[in-house]
Amino acid sequence: MRPAGRTRTAANPRKIALWTAVALVGATGWTLLALARGERVSAAWMVAAALGSYAIGYRFYARFIATRVLRFDRTRATPAERLNDGVDFHPTDRRVLLGHHFAAIAGAGPLVGPVLAAQMGYLPGTIWIIVGVVFAGAVQDMVVLFFSTRRDGRSLGQMAREEIGVLGGAAALLAAFAIMIILLGVLALIIVNALAQSPWGTFSIGMTIPIALLMGFYLRVLRPGRVTEVSLIGVALLLLALIAGRWVADSSWADTFTLEPKTLVIWLVAYGFIASVLPVWTLLAPRDYLSTFMKIGTIGLLAVGVLVTLPDLKMDAVTHFAGRGDGPVFAGSLFPFVFITIACGALSGFHALISSGTTPKMVQKETQIRMIGYGSMLMESFVAVMALVAASIIDPGLYFAMNAPAGVIGDTVQSTSQAVAHLGYSISPDQLAAAAKAVEEHTLLSRTGGAPTLAVGVADIFSQVFGGAGMKAFWYHFAIMFEALFILTALDAGTRVGRFMLQDMLGNVFKPFRRVSWKPGLLLCSAAVVALWGYFLWVGVHEPLGGINQLFPVFGIANQLLAAVALTVCTTLLVKSGRLKWAWITGVPLAWDATVTLTASWQKVFSGDPKVGFFTQRSLYQDAIDAGKVLPPAKNMGDMHTVVTNSTVDGVLSAVLALLIVVVIADAARVCVRHVRNPAATRLSEAPYKESAIVAPAGLLASKEEKAELAAAERSGP
């Protein structure tokens, strides 16, 4: 007998044919990527493998989790409906919220991580990005969002404290907040580096703020519910801002928008505070929604450009650095460091903070969680795939010339050409000079960090489709500005989430902080969060080896350790909520992520290679200090002492974070075992059921039944 409310529908031959075709396209892409050796492979097959896998994963795996495992309840009121205060809790149209959530999670990781990981070849990164997102990253985001929505939008750390216990919860709270500050500081530093001395980028990105305020007012006051109208207005104004940015850069206004890094730090701190305290509908949600149009539009056009131009993947499928672990871009073996380097494109702990931060306080219906949680992560993963494509279609010699540090390749095109030849690749001095001239840059040597390499790849594809070689410089600088916008939307949402986390932590001591819209707590915690990451950013801008630069080496590991916390909380909640047989859905990704990150942490702390191990690096530089020598990247004895301090701090921090995560996992295992032995003694912190009065579709497009329901609700009136 079938459960009530479930009907069996006849197989639709048209749908069967469609999904068979999708599966065949994806399988063909995977086959060519995996088996082709010694011959050119088109980047279009990477796009095919990704899109085919995403479609199958979303249609079947995500649907299975939503309906069979989590069992979304369309009749249950969400926190946005029950606790609507117009500041943090606000039922938000699913299309706007999808844009906000995607913009908030899509930071630096999917853009630069895959570019750096291309050092190992295009195949390892492609496998991890696509397989990892379908079975780990998107699952984590959706499950965390579901459980947080069921708990009044509780933060990840607070859920850990309430569901795991005092010890594991305290460890999770401390680890999550510390990692969040590191992540925000790193994101802010990347933005400063991208916008410094760039009037075009500064003007265009600055204009998104008044445009977003207009959109928020329009949707809230002038024309409520008219999402299509406000979208068209916003996109038109955004395109105008992008075009006007270049006009400004070539005009007398250029000096006004040409900002020094120190000035940008002040503006970023002020913006982060304001975005954190304003009602979510005024700035944060519409700005992120607006940014999504540019993000998805650019990545979509890039995919179309790949399908039109059919560029070959020039990077090897697997390079010799994968086995040797001595690559010039980053040191370490393929396992575990490719998985740490790529991070956000496949699995990211930062996403769990957004999924338990702003988004669960805004979602209208539980049935929208699949599209917002799982769907947004697939979108970000595709960004990572396109970043890997951009890095893999350029000449490998140019790739290593751009991403190897100056200490490896020197500072001239002649020395770089020789150094690249020693790495096993070739590029002439004239080719290096021509590449820089084509994008109107003085030099492309040692443009590390991934962002400039991505911009070169994007410019190469776009210039073949739009404008020819004469437009290559335009597309290069457009891509640099695009990357800054991409990252800034994660910074403002992350700051607000950091405020929620701090309020939850302090709420355990002083209960009024638990009310996230309590004005004194809101202002105090927002100021504290921006002050923390702003301090590290300010010092980092003033001192090349200090501040957030000091913590940059632990960025990737910290992010993946945070994912381990999120997956641990998810697995614990699956067990405690009577879903033990489905605990493998998050338990298997947890086992993999814990293995990868704890292995990486061990190597970063104890490896005897000074390029990998922090303490070995510390000993190397301390011995040099004792001998009166100066080693790069230090330029004097002061820098040498700074490197020793940084290595010590990074080593200790890596060990402490890893230990905290081990405590969280061990305490969660204890709770799960206790529940299995005595389920009746388990207490869940889930909010009580209340029937929902909101009528809204589950996906982007309303089904036939949903349209009828919407029409009936409209006829009945308020």
Side-chain angles (χ1 to χ4, degrees):
M1 181 179 292
R2 296 190 301 272
R6 292 183 62 188
T7 58
R8 189 188 298 267
T9 56
N12 186 322
R14 188 174 298 176
K15 288 185 177 180
I16 292 175
L18 172 64
W19 286 107
T20 301
V22 170
L24 287 174
V25 169
T28 303
W30 278 117
T31 301
L32 290 172
L33 290 174
L35 300 181
R37 294 292 184 273
E39 58 188 79
R40 295 293 187 185
V41 178
S42 173
W45 291 116
M46 191 182 294
V47 174
L51 294 179
S53 300
Y54 297 155
I56 297 294
Y58 184 80
R59 171 61 179 80
F60 296 101
Y61 192 51
R63 186 178 184 182
F64 160 74
I65 296 173
T67 58
R68 295 287 303 279
V69 180
L70 301 179
R71 299 188 293 274
F72 294 161
D73 187 349
R74 63 193 296 271
T75 70
R76 188 186 187 102
T78 64
E81 181 179 359
R82 290 187 292 102
L83 306 175
N84 185 4
D85 60 7
V87 179
D88 295 310
F89 293 91
H90 176 64
T92 304
D93 185 282
R94 67 201 183 282
R95 293 160 291 186
V96 175
L97 187 55
L98 175 68
H100 157 74
H101 186 77
F102 168 72
I105 66 173
L111 292 176
V112 302
V115 173
L116 303 180
Q119 168 183 265
M120 302 294 191
Y122 65 78
L123 187 57
T126 302
I127 294 173
W128 172 230
I129 291 170
I130 299 175
V131 176
V133 74
V134 170
F135 294 106
V139 173
Q140 171 206 258
D141 292 11
M142 179 172 67
V143 177
V144 169
L145 179 55
F146 170 77
F147 281 126
S148 180
T149 301
R150 283 284 178 97
R151 285 157 179 77
D152 291 342
R154 286 278 189 264
S155 68
L156 177 65
Q158 188 62 27
M159 285 196 294
R161 188 182 186 280
E162 294 175 352
E163 303 292 353
I164 296 176
V166 176
L167 179 61
L173 278 168
L174 181 60
F177 188 72
I179 292 171
M180 170 61 96
I181 297 302
I182 294 172
L183 299 182
L184 291 175
V186 170
L187 291 175
L189 179 64
I190 295 173
I191 295 168
V192 168
N193 290 338
L195 293 184
Q197 308 297 329
S198 174
W200 180 12
T202 301
F203 174 83
S204 297
I205 290 176
M207 286 303 297
T208 62
I209 297 174
I211 294 173
L213 291 170
L214 172 64
M215 291 174 65
F217 183 77
Y218 189 96
L219 202 56
R220 174 83 171 190
V221 179
L222 297 180
R223 301 274 286 173
R226 305 291 183 176
V227 177
T228 302
E229 288 181 17
V230 79
S231 299
L232 293 174
I233 293 171
V235 170
L237 291 175
L238 176 62
L239 293 175
L240 179 61
L242 293 175
I243 295 170
R246 196 177 195 192
W247 297 341
V248 168
D250 295 332
S251 72
S252 58
W253 289 8
D255 290 343
T256 303
F257 292 94
T258 303
L259 303 181
E260 296 291 330
K262 298 175 185 177
T263 306
L264 282 168
V265 170
I266 297 172
W267 280 110
L268 281 179
V269 168
Y271 170 74
F273 178 79
I274 293 170
S276 178
V277 301
L278 281 178
V280 71
W281 60 267
T282 59
L283 176 60
L284 189 67
R287 188 187 180 287
D288 289 351
Y289 178 61
L290 177 66
S291 301
T292 296
F293 283 106
M294 181 178 173
K295 293 179 178 183
I296 294 299
T298 301
I299 295 299
L301 284 175
L302 189 60
V304 171
V306 169
L307 297 178
V308 170
T309 60
L310 299 176
D312 290 333
L313 296 169
K314 297 178 182 177
M315 185 65 74
D316 298 329
V318 181
T319 69
H320 51 271
F321 298 119
R324 293 181 356 204
D326 60 348
V329 180
F330 63 91
S333 55
L334 188 152
F335 178 86
F337 289 107
V338 160
F339 308 99
I340 297 298
T341 302
I342 289 178
C344 298
L347 172 65
S348 171
F350 178 75
H351 296 186
L353 301 182
I354 303 298
S355 292
S356 61
T358 54
T359 306
K361 299 176 180 64
M362 301 163 68
V363 66
Q364 291 175 315
K365 306 287 286 185
E366 281 190 2
T367 48
Q368 298 170 351
I369 289 175
R370 174 185 171 214
M371 176 188 71
I372 295 167
Y374 199 97
S376 292
M377 184 53 187
L378 292 183
M379 291 159 60
E380 188 193 78
S381 180
F382 190 60
V383 173
V385 168
M386 297 314 300
L388 185 57
V389 166
S392 301
I393 63 168
I394 66 175
D395 188 282
L398 178 59
Y399 170 86
F400 285 105
M402 293 185 67
N403 290 282
V408 174
I409 63 173
D411 56 3
T412 67
V413 292
Q414 289 78 16
S415 64
T416 299
S417 178
Q418 295 173 2
V420 168
H422 289 146
L423 294 174
Y425 299 93
S426 63
I427 187 167
S428 69
D430 290 341
Q431 289 174 316
L432 288 170
K437 183 178 180 181
V439 296
E440 297 181 10
E441 287 281 357
H442 174 68
T443 180
L444 290 177
L445 305 185
S446 296
R447 296 294 301 274
T448 56
T453 304
L454 174 60
V456 168
V458 169
D460 190 55
I461 294 172
F462 276 175
S463 63
Q464 294 183 54
V465 181
F466 309 105
M471 286 289 289
K472 199 166 187 177
F474 170 85
W475 289 121
Y476 172 85
H477 290 281
F478 168 84
I480 292 291
M481 186 269 297
F482 160 76
E483 293 171 50
L485 176 63
F486 215 100
I487 299 166
L488 183 59
T489 54
L491 181 69
D492 52 20
T495 300
R496 197 179 193 97
V497 172
R499 188 251 289 180
F500 293 150
M501 294 170 63
L502 186 55
Q503 285 180 280
D504 275 344
M505 291 172 63
L506 296 178
N508 294 316
V509 180
F510 186 57
K511 288 186 178 180
F513 278 101
R514 286 274 186 97
R515 303 199 308 270
V516 294
S517 298
W518 181 53
K519 285 293 178 64
L522 181 154
L523 296 172
L524 178 63
C525 292
S526 295
V529 171
V530 296
L532 284 170
W533 66 254
Y535 166 77
F536 287 113
L537 176 63
W538 179 263
V539 176
V541 167
H542 280 74
E543 301 177 21
L545 297 177
I548 197 60
N549 297 299
Q550 180 184 58
L551 302 176
F552 201 99
V554 301
F555 171 78
I557 289 178
N559 187 43
Q560 296 305 83
L561 287 173
L562 189 56
V565 173
L567 291 168
T568 300
V569 172
C570 290
T571 305
T572 304
L573 284 170
L574 286 173
V575 173
K576 291 180 65 176
S577 61
R579 300 173 173 93
L580 175 61
K581 68 177 181 179
W582 304 121
W584 59 267
I585 288 172
T586 53
V588 172
L590 169 60
W592 169 256
D593 183 55
T595 301
V596 168
T597 51
L598 293 177
T599 300
S601 298
W602 180 271
Q603 292 187 18
K604 294 300 288 185
V605 174
F606 297 109
S607 173
D609 183 350
K611 294 181 180 179
V612 177
F614 290 128
F615 290 137
T616 303
Q617 183 184 74
R618 180 196 182 284
S619 298
L620 176 67
Y621 278 80
Q622 185 61 57
D623 291 343
I625 290 173
D626 295 340
K629 298 179 181 178
V630 176
L631 304 177
K635 298 179 180 179
N636 51 53
M637 274 299 166
D639 288 349
M640 291 289 289
H641 285 285
T642 300
V643 171
V644 169
T645 300
N646 291 355
S647 300
T648 305
V649 170
D650 289 339
V652 171
L653 184 59
S654 297
V656 169
L657 290 177
L659 181 60
L660 288 173
I661 272 56
V662 169
V663 170
V664 173
I665 295 174
D667 206 23
R670 176 189 61 81
V671 170
C672 291
V673 170
R674 186 179 63 186
H675 168 80
V676 172
R677 290 177 175 174
N678 185 15
T682 296
R683 183 183 65 84
L684 288 171
S685 300
E686 189 172 285
Y689 174 89
K690 182 180 179 180
E691 187 173 358
S692 173
I694 291 178
V695 177
L700 282 177
L701 302 177
S703 66
K704 184 177 180 180
E705 293 79 9
E706 289 171 336
K707 288 179 180 178
E709 191 177 14
L710 288 166
E714 190 172 335
R715 286 194 300 270
S716 64

